[in-house]
Amino acid sequence: MNLVRIHNKAWVLVGDGRKALFLRNEGDADLLDLRRAAVRLDDNPATREQGTDAPGRSINSVGGARSAMENADWHALAEHKFAESVAAEIDEAVRTGACKEIVLVAPPKVLGDLRKSLHGVTLKHVKGEVAKDLTHHRIGDIEQILGKLGKA
């Protein structure tokens, strides 16, 4: 497991495809004191609730063969867009100097979306990544989990 040190005033993003919890460490790297700075929620119902049409069909111009088109995964697309908007928010915080260090905590797919969407300069401020979904944990539990990762 990677060593993740969260210094004083460092940001921690705990997110998934629908929720982004921005925390700031008011303690030090050895004794975390995470405080909620902001929360962003996205209303993203399941794909079956977002799409109403049946998948499309295509007809080949030669031979008349038909094939079904795959349904769009509206839920996954919305999660990707949410990750892009969260990344833009982090980019802005780094650009303005509000964020000097950040640790990203999210499921692997969301981490990938964030990494792709963050500006190159912002990526230099990312001090660690934790591939876990902790969005449904209390802040005290998040402190304990991340605190264990910060000790060798």
Side-chain angles (χ1 to χ4, degrees):
M1 207 169 278
N2 293 345
L3 181 68
V4 177
R5 304 279 291 166
I6 303 170
H7 299 105
N8 182 262
K9 303 298 182 200
W11 285 27
V12 177
L13 167 70
V14 178
D16 60 13
R18 297 173 14 167
K19 180 179 182 179
L21 175 61
F22 290 95
L23 304 169
R24 192 169 70 199
N25 186 18
E26 296 297 332
D28 58 29
D30 294 321
L31 185 59
L32 299 179
D33 181 14
L34 299 178
R35 304 282 174 95
R36 182 174 42 204
V39 177
R40 290 200 44 227
L41 295 170
D42 187 28
D43 182 30
N44 184 6
T47 292
R48 69 181 175 278
E49 296 173 20
Q50 294 185 45
T52 58
D53 292 339
R57 312 244 336 129
S58 68
I59 301 172
N60 289 344
S61 60
V62 178
R66 294 176 179 243
S67 63
M69 295 179 173
E70 195 172 325
N71 264 341
D73 187 346
W74 300 110
H75 183 75
L77 289 170
E79 285 184 347
H80 177 71
K81 283 195 169 292
F82 184 71
E84 285 180 337
S85 70
V86 169
E89 198 169 326
I90 295 168
D91 284 339
E92 180 65 15
V94 167
R95 189 188 66 74
T96 61
C99 175
K100 304 281 188 216
E101 294 182 3
I102 188 164
V103 173
L104 305 174
V105 182
K109 182 176 176 262
V110 177
L111 279 177
D113 284 344
L114 286 168
R115 222 179 285 118
K116 287 179 200 169
S117 301
L118 288 171
H119 190 275
V121 172
T122 303
L123 287 171
K124 294 176 184 174
H125 294 265
V126 175
K127 299 304 177 187
E129 294 180 356
V130 178
K132 290 182 181 239
D133 185 356
L134 300 180
T135 55
H136 301 291
H137 288 68
R138 294 176 314 153
I139 292 176
D141 295 338
I142 294 169
E143 286 174 348
Q144 287 181 347
I145 293 166
L146 296 179
K148 289 177 185 174
L149 295 176
K151 294 182 171 65

